[in-house]
Amino acid sequence: KFDRIELFLFADGQLVDHQLNGESVPYSQRPTPGLLMAFALRLESGKPYQLLISTNSRLPQALAFELESPVNFAASAGQSGINWGTFYSVFLLTIILALIFLIITRDPLYLYLGLLIGALTLTQGSYTTYAYWLLWPESPEWQRSAHLFFIGVTILCGPLFTRRFLDTATNTPRLDRWIKANSMVGLIAIACALTLPYQPAAIINNLSIVVAVIPVVAASIICLKNGVKTARFFLFGWGANIVLTLAHIAHLRGFLPYSDFIQLAPQLGCMLEVLSLVAAIADRYEAVREGCEQSFRQVVKADALGELALGRVGRKRHQADVQLIHAPGDEGDVGLGGVA
C-alpha cells in the first residue's frame, strides 16, 4: 500500500527527471498507463545516472524495482493483465452461477452466496488496486479506505450465507447467535474504515476478521461432526483463507519475512475459499437431487404397491360377485324362478 513513490533521476550532478506515482496519484496523472506501478525513464547508453527513491507507505513492505525495455515492459504488463483477468474471471463466473441457481431455485442461499463472492471480489480488487484501476481510477481518496470498507462488507455478508448454508440455528444454536451478531461486527468495521485514519482502522479491521471467523470455523467443525458432509468444503475454504490472510498480516506487521508466497497469500486464500464454496454448493445440490430422486422412487414404489393392493382387492370382490351370482342352492333357484 504505497501512497506515494517519488523518483528523482540525476545525471552529472543535475536533476534531469522527477516523477510521482503511488495510490495517492490518480491513474491519469501517472507516468505510465495501465495497472502496473511504473516509471518511464529515458537513459542514454554509457552515461552514469543516480537514482533517488522516496516512498510513503501505510504499512511496512518490500519495494523492488526492475529495469526493463519498453518492449519487455509491454510484455510484462500484458502478462499481468492476463493473470489478474484470469483470477477475477473465476470470481465473476461464480457470481453468475449463483444468480442462475437463484433464478432456477428461488433459494435465497444463492443470493447470499453472490453477495459474499461479490464482497470478496471487491476486497481483493481494491487491495491489489485492480478495482482502483478499473472502477475508480480518479478517486485516490476512496481507494485509501476501500480495502478496509469491503472487508467490513464481507464480514457483514458472511453470516447471511453461513447461517443458511450450515443451518446453524438447528445444528449449533449457541454459535448461531454469535454468527448472527457478526453482522454488527461488520458494520463497526465499515464505520471505522470510513471515519478513522488508516492505521487504527486497519487494526480494528484485523481484529474484526478474527472475531468473525472463529464462530464460523467452530460451527463448521460441529456440523461436520453431526453428519453435515458439505461442511467439510466450508471448513477448508474459510480455514485456508484465514490462515493465509493472517500470514500476510503477520508479514505486514513485521513478524514474518518477505516472500513471493506470503505476498500473494491473500489472493491464494480467497481463491481457495471461492472454489471451496463452489464445491460445497455443487455437493449440496447433488445431495438435494439424490434426496429428491429417492423420495420420488419411494412415492412411485408406494403407488405401485397401492395399485397392486387395489388390484388384489378388486379381484377378490370380482370372485365374490361371481360366487354370489352363480352359487347353487334350492332357495336361490326357487326364489329366482318365483320372481320370473
Side-chain angles (χ1 to χ4, degrees):
K1 311 299 286 184
F2 291 102
D3 284 331
R4 183 183 181 92
I5 303 178
E6 201 165 1
L7 180 144
F8 302 88
L9 182 66
F10 295 88
D12 300 326
Q14 300 292 324
L15 179 64
V16 295
D17 198 358
H18 170 237
Q19 298 181 29
L20 188 63
N21 212 323
E23 290 192 17
S24 62
V25 182
Y27 274 89
S28 62
Q29 300 177 21
R30 297 190 180 188
T32 58
L35 177 63
L36 296 181
M37 193 176 295
F39 297 94
L41 303 176
R42 296 182 179 274
L43 305 177
E44 297 180 15
S45 178
K47 185 175 183 179
Y49 291 91
Q50 295 80 40
L51 195 63
L52 177 63
I53 302 292
S54 174
T55 65
N56 180 21
S57 174
R58 280 170 273 172
L59 296 169
Q61 54 189 314
L63 177 62
F65 283 93
E66 184 176 355
L67 190 63
E68 293 182 323
S69 66
V71 174
N72 291 338
F73 175 75
S76 298
Q79 186 61 48
S80 176
I82 292 174
N83 294 341
W84 286 117
T86 303
F87 176 77
Y88 287 108
S89 293
V90 175
F91 291 75
L92 182 60
L93 290 175
T94 305
I95 295 173
I96 294 174
L97 181 65
L99 293 177
I100 292 175
F101 274 103
L102 174 63
I103 295 173
I104 294 174
T105 65
R106 306 286 182 173
D107 189 345
L109 172 71
Y110 300 104
L111 173 62
Y112 301 151
L113 175 64
L115 291 174
L116 178 60
I117 301 301
L120 288 170
T121 303
L122 290 172
T123 297
Q124 292 300 322
S126 56
Y127 186 73
T128 61
T129 70
Y130 196 87
Y132 182 19
W133 170 63
L134 192 63
L135 301 178
W136 51 83
E138 303 305 311
S139 302
E141 297 82 6
W142 165 241
Q143 171 61 18
R144 185 176 180 85
S145 59
H147 171 60
L148 301 179
F149 173 84
F150 287 117
I151 288 179
V153 174
T154 302
I155 297 174
L156 182 64
C157 295
L160 298 174
F161 177 76
T162 302
R163 296 180 67 236
R164 188 168 185 88
F165 182 78
L166 296 179
D167 192 15
T168 53
T170 302
N171 296 317
T172 59
R174 292 182 180 179
L175 287 175
D176 179 70
R177 290 191 289 270
W178 187 353
I179 295 173
K180 189 176 181 180
N182 279 344
S183 297
M184 184 59 64
V185 176
L187 291 175
I188 293 174
I190 291 173
C192 292
L194 296 176
T195 58
L196 296 181
Y198 185 84
Q199 285 293 350
I203 293 174
I204 294 175
N205 200 279
N206 294 341
L207 294 175
S208 300
I209 293 174
V210 176
V211 171
V213 167
I214 289 176
V216 171
V217 174
S220 301
I221 295 174
I222 293 175
C223 289
L224 188 59
K225 289 183 177 180
N226 291 341
V228 183
K229 295 182 179 180
T230 52
R232 66 187 186 273
F233 300 104
F234 200 86
L235 179 61
F236 172 78
W238 275 102
N241 192 11
I242 191 59
V243 168
L244 292 173
T245 300
L246 290 178
H248 184 73
I249 292 174
H251 158 65
L252 295 178
R253 298 298 174 184
F255 298 109
L256 291 178
Y258 172 83
S259 69
D260 292 338
F261 175 77
I262 290 294
Q263 187 67 18
L264 296 175
Q267 289 74 48
L268 177 59
C270 197
M271 176 65 74
L272 290 175
E273 179 176 354
V274 170
L275 294 178
S276 297
L277 291 179
V278 172
I281 290 297
D283 187 75
R284 177 189 175 94
Y285 179 80
E286 183 66 19
V288 171
R289 186 184 66 81
E290 290 180 357
C292 291
E293 289 182 354
Q294 185 177 1
S295 299
F296 179 75
R297 287 193 296 268
Q298 291 176 350
V299 170
V300 171
K301 184 178 179 180
D303 289 343
L305 292 174
E307 290 178 359
L308 180 61
L310 289 174
R312 289 177 179 175
V313 172
R315 285 195 298 271
K316 289 181 179 180
R317 288 180 176 176
H318 177 69
Q319 293 174 359
D321 293 341
V322 171
Q323 291 175 359
L324 177 63
I325 295 174
H326 298 281
D330 295 340
E331 295 179 358
D333 295 340
V334 172
L336 289 174
V339 173

